[in-house]
Amino acid sequence: MSATDFEAELILHNIEKCGLYEATEQGRRQIVHKNDVPKCLGIEELLTEVEQWAIASGQPLANTCPDTIPDEKKIYCYNITKLQDTFLAAFWVALPRGRAGVSTLPGNRPVKGEIPKNPKGNLDVHDIPGFMAYFLFLPKLNRLATVQLWFKGFGKPYVSTPKLKSYLEAYMNGHSLYRCKDGGFSEKKASDPTQVLNSSLVSKVDWSRRYGDSELDTVKKYASDIYKVTYQIKQPDLIPKTANRQLWQAKESVAGYINHNGDFDKKRQIRMVVPVAGMLQSEVEELEQNFEQFTKEQAFNVGFQISGHGREYWLSGSYSKEGDTINLKTQKGNREFPDQNAFHKELLSRFGSFLHSS
């Protein structure tokens, strides 16, 4: 194996819910959890199940995505490694067929350890175009780190946490060993002859980005002194109408500019600077919720200039993250993809203090 320098950036998340929880229903569609501890299918057990179902079973790659996930959200389980009570999960995020210059993996056979290819001609009917997304789980700390890996001088890959969340929820609801034959969940696995339906159990997966400093608190505190807001729009089509009103208006203006020319480079970023005479704290909180809810740092970012402050505060800078250049052994035949076991070991060695920071 050869070695290659990569840029890596980790963003920490707190895992707030993961597993099957006892819950009661109050009112229409309102589910109240009785406690914060799952009855079963916590992080470690869930990832172990997924690895057995998707990888150890020898399934073709195309079968490692739950059937209920729509085409635009499909991701496939490529590999899951365990080291020092942590799990590094590699998922293949599907892209539309016809995209030029993307890597592919075959969907009609198991692919653990197989090297993604960069075809120059037409894709095989079984090929799944996409890119690799890495997620590092620390079950004992209830933490998740998204791991962005790229070559210096190239753009960062997308963060695909919403698709990961959809995947884990769909797995629990459709494939978990705790599923009963007559629907719903049990506290015992399907292999246990005493498995009995427990109608109070519901599945839940939820996490939020971990704050790294007080940047956003500063913006909220001095919201009335904000005199300039910068909207950095990267993918306007990913910003829905439910977004903050000012963000939606910025998105509409940028989308109009982009759409006037069909040859516009979608990787290009557009910055819209808006002078303001202060903001409401609630408006800042709406933008924060948008940024978190849509998990779209790659779709948009917002910067705030505050009177008397010599710097600009960005939404993306308010979260706990750390990056570095790392040298990794790569898979023979494709230097864009590291050996996962070596990658996992290097992440724990290089970012161990950050991952366990208070």
Side-chain angles (χ1 to χ4, degrees):
M1 291 185 183
S2 59
T4 303
D5 282 340
F6 291 89
E7 298 296 312
E9 183 174 277
L10 279 62
I11 300 176
L12 276 183
H13 298 68
N14 292 323
I15 298 176
E16 296 164 352
K17 286 279 193 297
C18 181
L20 300 181
Y21 295 82
E22 281 196 318
T24 57
E25 189 171 338
Q26 295 181 359
R28 189 176 182 182
R29 293 185 176 181
Q30 184 181 8
I31 296 176
V32 179
H33 293 84
K34 292 183 178 179
N35 54 61
D36 293 329
V37 180
K39 276 285 185 180
C40 44
L41 272 186
I43 305 166
E44 183 167 358
E45 187 176 17
L46 175 59
L47 292 173
T48 300
E49 268 204 19
V50 171
E51 194 278 335
Q52 289 292 317
W53 174 73
I55 306 301
S57 65
Q59 290 203 77
L61 180 66
N63 293 348
T64 66
C65 180
D67 297 335
T68 56
I69 295 181
D71 289 344
E72 66 272 15
K73 292 185 177 181
K74 283 195 179 297
I75 62 173
Y76 303 88
C77 189
Y78 175 79
N79 195 10
I80 298 177
T81 52
K82 184 177 181 181
L83 181 63
Q84 298 176 19
D85 297 321
T86 69
F87 292 82
L88 180 61
F91 282 86
W92 189 248
V93 182
L95 292 171
R97 295 181 71 87
R99 289 277 295 271
V102 298
S103 299
T104 65
L105 280 170
N108 61 338
R109 62 176 183 265
V111 296
K112 180 181 178 180
E114 185 160 337
I115 305 164
K117 293 181 171 55
N118 298 313
K120 295 182 180 179
N122 294 329
L123 299 184
D124 183 86
V125 66
H126 298 294
D127 283 346
I128 300 176
F131 64 93
M132 201 73 77
Y134 297 97
F135 306 93
L136 184 61
F137 289 86
L138 292 81
K140 290 187 176 180
L141 296 177
N142 286 323
R143 290 183 185 175
L144 159 68
T146 58
V147 184
Q148 293 172 282
L149 191 73
W150 73 99
F151 289 121
K152 192 170 185 176
F154 288 74
K156 294 182 187 178
Y158 299 156
V159 178
S160 303
T161 44
K163 292 184 178 181
L164 174 65
K165 180 181 176 183
S166 297
Y167 183 101
L168 295 177
E169 289 176 339
Y171 171 82
M172 283 195 287
N173 292 324
H175 301 278
S176 167
L177 295 177
Y178 290 94
R179 293 286 303 177
C180 291
K181 291 182 180 179
D182 51 351
F185 299 104
S186 168
E187 294 178 37
K188 297 180 180 180
K189 295 190 175 184
S191 57
D192 192 320
T194 63
Q195 186 187 48
V196 178
L197 177 67
N198 183 338
S199 59
S200 72
L201 290 180
V202 296
S203 61
K204 184 69 175 177
V205 177
D206 201 12
W207 51 65
S208 61
R209 293 192 184 211
R210 185 178 173 87
Y211 285 97
D213 52 39
S214 59
E215 282 198 8
L216 205 52
D217 292 334
T218 300
V219 174
K220 292 176 184 177
K221 181 178 179 180
Y222 297 100
S224 61
D225 295 328
I226 296 173
Y227 67 89
K228 185 174 71 175
V229 180
T230 301
Y231 297 96
Q232 184 170 287
I233 309 294
K234 305 179 184 179
Q235 293 190 79
D237 57 311
L238 297 180
I239 301 174
K241 284 188 176 181
T242 53
N244 168 275
R245 181 170 57 87
Q246 287 83 0
L247 174 62
W248 173 255
Q249 290 173 345
K251 174 260 186 188
E252 286 289 271
S253 299
V254 170
Y257 173 65
I258 288 178
N259 293 335
H260 88 285
N261 186 341
D263 297 326
F264 189 89
D265 182 2
K266 291 185 177 181
K267 294 181 179 180
R268 181 178 175 184
Q269 301 178 17
I270 298 178
R271 295 164 71 95
M272 177 176 290
V273 180
V274 181
V276 297
M279 293 181 67
L280 298 175
Q281 183 173 320
S282 60
E283 291 176 322
V284 177
E285 290 174 345
E286 282 181 359
L287 289 169
E288 176 193 9
Q289 290 167 8
N290 292 164
F291 190 81
E292 182 62 45
Q293 178 185 355
F294 311 133
T295 317
K296 301 300 183 188
E297 183 180 349
Q298 71 272 18
F300 79 93
N301 203 350
V302 182
F304 306 90
Q305 284 278 10
I306 301 173
S307 297
H309 292 236
R311 52 165 297 190
E312 191 169 20
Y313 297 90
W314 287 88
L315 282 179
S316 61
S318 302
Y319 300 96
S320 186
K321 61 183 178 181
E322 187 167 307
D324 201 356
T325 301
I326 56 177
N327 186 265
L328 297 172
K329 292 180 180 178
T330 54
Q331 297 190 49
K332 186 178 180 180
N334 194 329
R335 73 185 190 97
E336 295 182 18
F337 296 93
D339 172 77
Q340 185 157 329
N341 288 300
F343 184 26
H344 196 168
K345 184 177 180 180
E346 182 66 16
L347 286 174
L348 298 185
S349 174
R350 187 67 63 90
F351 299 101
S353 297
F354 168 71
L355 292 167
H356 292 83
S357 59
S358 59

